[in-house]
Amino acid sequence: MLPRQQRAEGNFSSVVGFVLLGFSDLPNLQGLLFGIFSLMYTFIIIGNGIIMIITVVDSALQTPMYFFLANFSSLEVCYVSVTVPRILVNLWTQNRSISLLSCATQMCFFLMLGSTESFLLAVMAYDRYVAICNPLLYPVVMNQKVCTQLAVGSWISGIPVQIGQTFQVFSLPFCGSNQINHFFCDIPLLIKLACGDTSRNEICVYLVFILFSMIPFVLILSSYFRIISTILKMPSTASQFKAFSTCSSHLIVVVLFFGPGTITYLRPKSNHSAGTDKMFSLFYIFVTPLFNPIIYSLRNRDVIAALKRLLPKRTDRRSL
């Protein structure tokens, strides 16, 4: 067992590790939850992995839109892998302890990848804006160099800020309870366990969230406002339907990601409850990565066609 506390100066005890309570309040459902989450994790890896493969091997999908989709699927695999394996281990072993270093590492990667997802969704919205509103300039504006720069910028832009925010949170003195009533290490609950004045940290959380979530979200809304205005001016209903269909999948993912995240991080501290936090966290940890391959495959004719072209090749190879 991980030692819960060690004596520090003064009348406080300094926490040297945490206990992720997770779903310990549902003792009779541990096995069922392990099975459900294992299946969801497997489907997320396989589903997003298939999208990554077909966007690389199928020449018809060698476009900026599918280049960003491949990046997004790669991100989803990384995103769930930061939290879900720990959840599964805790459910299987019932050992919910986590060291300070492991907790800080998990939180840092979770925040960095969350920032990447925000920016990547904004980049994907910009790609659709250029394609629909300026189709003649699309090949020039969204050339390979620009696409690569936008993708790399999305991946690395949040790294220094989120490392700094993680360092700031774990520089706080933690005393008293070391139990985190959640299934992964997240900022609001860690700040809640800290001793002393945490108002500065709470302000930083709001500012960072605005910078890495609200600004990309506003850019997405701005892009789609112009996209919808352009689509409504199209003379053909068929053209309007085709344009809307290329954007609807992205919009669904945007709502699934930003909605729960906004409620989680911008709610007043007094309104936080463990049950609500867990419910909303399940959305952006499981639901968005799970629905991503479904949304972008079942609602996308190009992806379905690419899958059909890929499957016969594998079938032919097996028959030889």
Side-chain angles (χ1 to χ4, degrees):
M1 290 292 292
L2 180 72
R4 294 185 59 187
Q5 299 172 337
Q6 64 182 13
R7 295 303 299 176
E9 295 181 4
N11 297 323
F12 296 107
S13 296
S14 177
V15 171
V16 296
F18 296 104
V19 176
L20 294 169
L21 296 180
F23 302 97
S24 58
D25 54 337
L26 303 170
N28 297 326
L29 298 178
Q30 300 295 294
L32 177 62
L33 290 173
F34 177 84
I36 293 173
F37 292 156
S38 295
L39 288 175
M40 293 174 73
Y41 183 54
T42 302
F43 185 84
I44 289 169
I45 299 298
I46 294 175
N48 285 284
I50 290 173
I51 289 181
M52 291 160 56
I53 291 171
I54 62 174
T55 53
V56 171
V57 302
D58 195 292
S59 58
L61 301 183
Q62 304 298 313
T63 64
M65 175 181 173
Y66 295 106
F67 169 74
F68 293 127
L69 178 57
N71 272 270
F72 190 73
S73 294
S74 303
L75 172 64
E76 296 290 51
V77 171
C78 296
Y79 196 59
V80 296
S81 297
V82 169
T83 55
V84 177
R86 168 68 67 170
I87 296 172
L88 296 177
V89 168
N90 292 350
L91 287 170
W92 181 258
T93 65
Q94 298 299 302
N95 179 11
R96 299 182 175 89
S97 61
I98 184 170
S99 66
L100 277 174
L101 179 60
S102 297
C103 189
T105 302
Q106 183 188 62
M107 191 182 84
C108 187
F109 276 97
F110 178 77
L111 294 174
M112 289 190 298
L113 293 172
S115 300
T116 299
E117 185 153 353
S118 296
F119 283 119
L120 198 53
L121 287 170
V123 167
M124 293 170 76
Y126 175 70
D127 172 69
R128 291 298 83 207
Y129 159 72
V130 178
I132 294 173
C133 299
N134 298 288
L136 297 178
L137 294 176
Y138 183 67
V140 178
V141 175
M142 300 302 292
N143 58 63
Q144 185 176 4
K145 181 179 179 181
V146 170
C147 291
T148 303
Q149 290 174 341
L150 288 172
V152 172
S154 298
W155 280 95
I156 68 174
S157 56
I159 292 177
V161 175
Q162 299 298 6
I163 289 177
Q165 184 169 223
T166 301
F167 179 79
Q168 185 184 48
V169 169
F170 280 86
S171 295
L172 292 168
F174 295 99
C175 53
S177 175
N178 68 337
Q179 296 184 343
I180 301 174
N181 195 3
H182 211 346
F183 43 82
F184 70 100
C185 294
D186 201 6
I187 284 186
L189 291 168
L190 285 164
I191 291 178
K192 190 176 180 180
L193 292 180
C195 305
D197 183 18
T198 59
S199 57
R200 179 181 175 184
N201 298 87
E202 292 174 29
I203 292 172
C204 285
V205 170
Y206 288 125
L207 291 176
V208 171
F209 185 82
I210 290 171
L211 176 63
F212 290 103
S213 293
M214 288 296 97
I215 291 178
F217 184 65
V218 170
L219 293 174
I220 292 171
L221 290 181
S222 176
S223 296
Y224 274 104
F225 177 78
R226 297 185 180 186
I227 288 171
I228 292 172
S229 299
T230 302
I231 291 175
L232 293 176
K233 294 176 183 178
M234 292 179 177
S236 169
T237 304
S239 299
Q240 290 180 344
F241 178 79
K242 183 179 180 180
F244 271 121
S245 66
T246 61
C247 300
S248 58
S249 300
H250 180 254
L251 278 173
I252 293 171
V253 174
V254 167
V255 172
L256 288 174
F257 177 73
F258 283 101
T262 300
I263 295 172
T264 299
Y265 287 96
L266 293 188
R267 274 185 304 157
K269 188 178 179 180
S270 57
N271 292 342
H272 277 269
S273 66
T276 305
D277 286 339
K278 291 177 187 178
M279 181 183 69
F280 283 119
S281 296
L282 286 174
F283 266 90
Y284 53 78
I285 288 177
F286 279 108
V287 176
T288 303
L290 183 66
F291 280 7
N292 177 47
I294 298 174
I295 292 170
Y296 281 108
S297 59
L298 297 181
R299 296 174 58 86
N300 190 302
R301 294 179 182 178
D302 293 336
V303 173
I304 293 175
L307 282 171
K308 289 179 179 178
R309 287 192 293 269
L310 181 65
L311 291 176
K313 292 180 181 179
R314 292 190 173 184
T315 304
D316 294 340
R317 288 175 184 175
R318 289 178 181 177
S319 62
L320 293 176

